[in-house]
């Protein structure tokens, strides 16, 4: 079985074994433009996809740097990078988000 390697994009640190498991679980989540906390070390995961770029990871010390980086690079694309904490620890089942087009308001539900 291939072991996925996660590194903080700022300091190249590796997660502890339990956080590694949390990070591996986030890989199967198909979500668009969302922050996720990977416990117990509380790494920050950015689920980009599409115009928001690849998934990105930051260790606890560099969470703020990742948020700043994403807002600088993708902040003009849509509201997702501007979301503030608390972030969910998992996003499975959150399919609603994917149907919302970037740059346009969500369609109103039928009356
Ligand atoms: Zn780091």
């Amino acid at each position: 079985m291939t072991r996925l390697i996660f590194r903080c994009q700022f300091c190249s640190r590796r997660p502890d074994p339990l956080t590694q498991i949390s990070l591996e679980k986030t890989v199967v989540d198909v979500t668009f433009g969302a922050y996720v906390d990977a416990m117990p070390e509380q790494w920050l995961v950015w689920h980009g996809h599409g115009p928001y770029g690849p998934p990105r990871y930051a260790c606890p010390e560099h969470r703020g740097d990742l948020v700043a980086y994403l807002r600088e690079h993708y902040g003009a694309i849509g509201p997702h990078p501007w979301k503030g904490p608390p972030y969910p620890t998992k996003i499975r089942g959150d399919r609603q988000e994917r149907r919302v087009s970037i740059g346009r308001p969500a369609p109103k539900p039928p009356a």
Side-chain angles (χ1 to χ4, degrees):
M1 184 179 137
T2 313
R3 188 136 178 93
L4 293 163
I5 309 272
F6 299 98
R7 287 184 192 280
C8 170
Q9 77 168 67
F10 298 94
C11 67
S12 298
R13 187 178 144 188
R14 299 273 305 274
D16 76 6
L18 286 173
T19 304
Q20 166 83 23
I21 292 168
S22 295
L23 289 166
E24 286 174 356
K25 284 181 184 158
T26 70
V27 171
V28 299
D29 286 324
V30 182
T31 300
F32 165 81
Y35 292 108
V36 180
D37 277 336
M39 306 306 276
E41 282 193 311
Q42 205 175 24
W43 281 49
L44 184 63
V45 181
W46 166 251
H47 285 272
H49 304 297
Y52 284 134
R56 296 180 186 278
Y57 307 92
C59 73
E61 285 81 54
H62 292 108
R63 295 169 58 90
D65 294 287
L66 180 58
V67 171
Y69 174 92
L70 293 168
R71 288 176 180 175
E72 184 185 334
H73 286 80
Y74 304 115
I77 295 175
H80 303 82
W82 300 98
K83 189 177 186 319
Y87 301 122
T89 54
K90 67 188 185 92
I91 45 176
R92 243 171 166 350
D94 182 11
R95 305 275 178 227
Q96 195 70 31
E97 194 86 6
R98 301 187 64 209
R99 282 186 238 129
V100 179
S101 304
I102 297 177
R104 280 190 288 145
K108 287 202 173 73

